Amino acid sequence: LQRLEYRGYDSAVAPPSTRAAKNMCGIVAYCGNAQAADILVAGLQRLEYRGYDSAGVAIIQKSEDSGGKQESKRQKSAAPKADGAEAKIKICKQAGKVANLAKACENSDVKGTLGIAHTRWATHGPPTDRNSHPHVSCDGKIAVVHNGIVENFAALKTKLEGLGYKMASDTDTELIAHLIYDVRKKKAMPLEEAVRQALTQVHGAFGLGVVCADEPDILIGARRGSPLILGIGDDEYVLASDASAVIERTRRVTYLNDGDMVVITRGAGYQIKSLDGVKLIREVQELEMSLQEIQKGEFKHFMLKEICEQPEVLENCMRGRLNHDTGDINLGGLTPYLQRIIAAPRIIICACGTSWHAALTGEYMIENLAKIPVEVEYASEFRYRNPVLYKSDVVVAVSQSGETADTLAAISLAKKHGCLTVGICNTVGSTIARETDCGVYLHAGPEIGVASTKAFTAQICVMCMIALKLLKEKGDDSTADFKKKLKALAALPDKVRKVLEEKEKVLNMSRVFRYASNFLYLGRGFNFPVALEGALKLKEISYIHAEGYPAAEMKHGPIALIDQFMPVVVIAPCNDPNAEKLQSNIEEVLARGGSVIAISDETKNEDLERKCEYVVHVPNTEEFLMPLLTVIPLQLMSYYIADMRQCNVDQPRNLAKSVTVE
Ligand code: M6R
């Protein structure tokens, strides 16, 4: 087994139950007058991009709620022995997509107007009915949904098993249900207090929804590390991991802070308290999101919709911020901090995944334009590698969701060292947006497809504006060249529209390459991060292996991979200062039998056309703005190839939109 372990090592290394559960799931909970199951399932459908392994609901059913139907196989009463009890908890849960759960709920009689629900993304404990949330206490009277990770899982489990509790699943969440039960039983206390006391024993991150059959009019939510937002409607409340699950019921929301607990009591409103029981006041805000933004409309997938939205996304991102006539850039959130930023010896940008690629583009832009040294860090490395940080450093977090655990931890570390922290986030009210000293929102609208597209271009657009603003703040904006750059930036949405007109060509090209098993992406300068991003997009959604490299690095290793089966995507604009070098790289690929797909500009180049299997042209623009155009054909190609290979484009296997645990 030791020799064969490289072939699979899930169960030989440690039984699942001894390993920590990690999940980045979606929670929704409802308390009101409508049937909770319908609202919860609709909410889960909106949250499904956060996790799609399995889903479930728990509804408090009072005697007046229950219909006459028989219980189905899938749907169990969790409190069969609640003799004479007024209410019981009905659970319906299913492995697989929310659609499965929706069907199961339709065929069952989960009736009631208060409940909790969950859609799961798991790396531990198979996605079975048994491991699906909600999880219940041993008497079936307490149900819990949880997003996060119980870090002292092993110790708690041993303790609870020692007390005689039997585990019904492999999950860490179940422990929370038993803990609440244990505290409540021993001290005969109300649910609210029992949850509070139970949570003192839990180490790690949680976003939590809790209900109890003995207190059937109470819904409890709590958070530490995982997001929770409370929607406040007319006589109804929706608690959810993000706004998309709330918007159909209400636009009035309050964002819970880390360490907050909310207790919703039917007929008596809600109260937010700290986990220590201190009453808190939290601002109620109006959601800016529209329902249309979270619907697919005429598009086959969210990803395609989001790729096609990019011209408007860039317009929204620049609206009210950029004025190329006056040469003004207004980034309100940064204004009070600009002097500190230009005086900083360096800017450190932390991010993960696609946001890291945008950060790398940001490094090239800020160093080129504003001449301030920039370092780009993987947030997951930065947080643990004990970096040298000075108070004078500026640490920027780039994150679409604003909830990525590693990026958030990088910010906490920077704060501990007294650095100025800046957030570049898309999700309004997200944790990173709130934890940083200042920041810039992307205004890209909700991004539902797990593969990030429009957020990437909006992140780069924000990076451009920041670089230009810093240049201006340093007093280097007097030249005609500065205004020319602003003008070029303002002209980008129309240029992106033009690239999108190439859709058909990219579709045909994708048809040719859809069966390839490996791709290489090459770029130089500002287009190197685009090569990385192109490769990541293809990997994520089509499961084709792809690598991104700086073009010059090819001969230091990856060239060994090139043969007639290896398509090589070269981002090679002809008016690039490195154009000749890129042409040489193309020659090197061709000499080894590789096929080249070139992403170039509008400059005529017959030689390129002749040599490459495909050339996709994007409009000419300033060199530093090229990534905003060259990435679009790569996004489209990944999309078409994945769709042709019948992959689940919006919900690729094993991924989740918001990585809220490390
Ligand atoms: O929400 P964030 O931007 O912080 O997320 C970071 C990454 O998890 C994310 O970009 C991931 O790589 C996407 N799946 C990319 O398409």
Side-chain angles (χ1 to χ4, degrees), residues 28 43 95 208 293 303 318 554 606 609 649:
V28 55
L208 217 59
E293 283 177 308
M303 182 180 177
M318 290 188 270
M554 180 179 65
E606 282 167 10
E609 302 285 338
V649 174

Side-chain angles (χ1 to χ4, degrees), residues 58-60 76-82 87-91 135-144 177-178 181 211-214:
I59 310 275
I60 295 277
K76 298 174 222 114
S77 162
K81 290 185 201 138
K88 50 190 174 181
I89 295 178
K90 289 277 186 178
I91 302 238
H135 291 286
V136 290
S137 55
C138 52
D139 65 348
K141 288 190 173 187
I142 297 167
V144 175
H178 293 315
Y181 170 88
V211 292
C212 175
D214 289 341

Side-chain angles (χ1 to χ4, degrees), residues 351-356 398-404 407 432 447 449-453 455 459 533 536-537 540 655-659:
C352 304
T354 287
S355 297
W356 189 89
V398 184
S399 173
Q400 185 287 128
S401 61
E403 302 293 348
T404 301
T407 313
I432 294 175
E447 192 180 61
V450 165
S452 186
T453 52
Q459 285 165 341
E533 177 57 11
L536 178 66
K537 265 324 57 104
E540 279 188 300
L655 294 177
K657 185 72 183 161
S658 170
V659 185

Side-chain angles (χ1 to χ4, degrees), residues 207-251:
L208 217 59
V210 186
V211 292
C212 175
D214 289 341
E215 296 181 50
D217 292 315
I218 290 189
L219 167 64
I220 292 183
R223 70 159 284 188
R224 185 166 71 206
S226 301
L228 270 187
I229 172 173
L230 174 68
I232 305 157
D234 295 334
D235 270 343
E236 65 175 17
Y237 298 90
V238 184
L239 189 66
S241 301
D242 74 48
S244 59
V246 171
I247 182 89
E248 271 173 278
R249 303 301 297 182
T250 177
R251 309 189 71 82

Side-chain angles (χ1 to χ4, degrees), residues 432-551:
I432 294 175
R434 285 179 299 137
E435 294 287 309
T436 40
D437 297 309
C438 56
V440 184
Y441 277 124
L442 306 182
H443 297 312
E447 192 180 61
I448 312 283
V450 165
S452 186
T453 52
K454 63 176 183 175
F456 177 71
T457 43
Q459 285 165 341
I460 298 181
C461 182
V462 165
M463 291 293 183
C464 289
M465 290 190 286
I466 292 179
L468 290 164
K469 182 72 186 173
L470 296 178
L471 175 67
K472 188 176 166 76
E473 196 68 14
K474 287 176 90 177
D476 294 341
D477 62 325
S478 49
T479 58
D481 191 49
F482 182 78
K483 280 202 179 167
K484 197 173 136 224
K485 286 189 164 55
L486 290 199
K487 221 174 176 156
L489 181 53
L492 272 173
D494 281 337
K495 295 192 173 182
V496 173
R497 279 187 188 100
K498 254 189 123 189
V499 185
L500 289 170
E501 284 167 14
E502 295 289 293
K503 267 201 305 235
E504 206 60 30
K505 181 170 192 177
V506 180
L507 177 71
N508 292 334
M509 175 175 108
S510 307
R511 217 167 262 138
V512 172
F513 292 104
R514 74 193 137 150
Y515 295 123
S517 342
N518 295 288
F519 271 76
L520 191 61
Y521 287 72
L522 303 175
R524 282 176 182 255
F526 288 102
N527 282 310
F528 160 52
V530 176
L532 297 179
E533 177 57 11
L536 178 66
K537 265 324 57 104
L538 188 70
K539 275 190 274 228
E540 279 188 300
I541 57 167
S542 70
Y543 320 135
I544 296 174
H545 171 248
E547 299 272 357
Y549 265 92

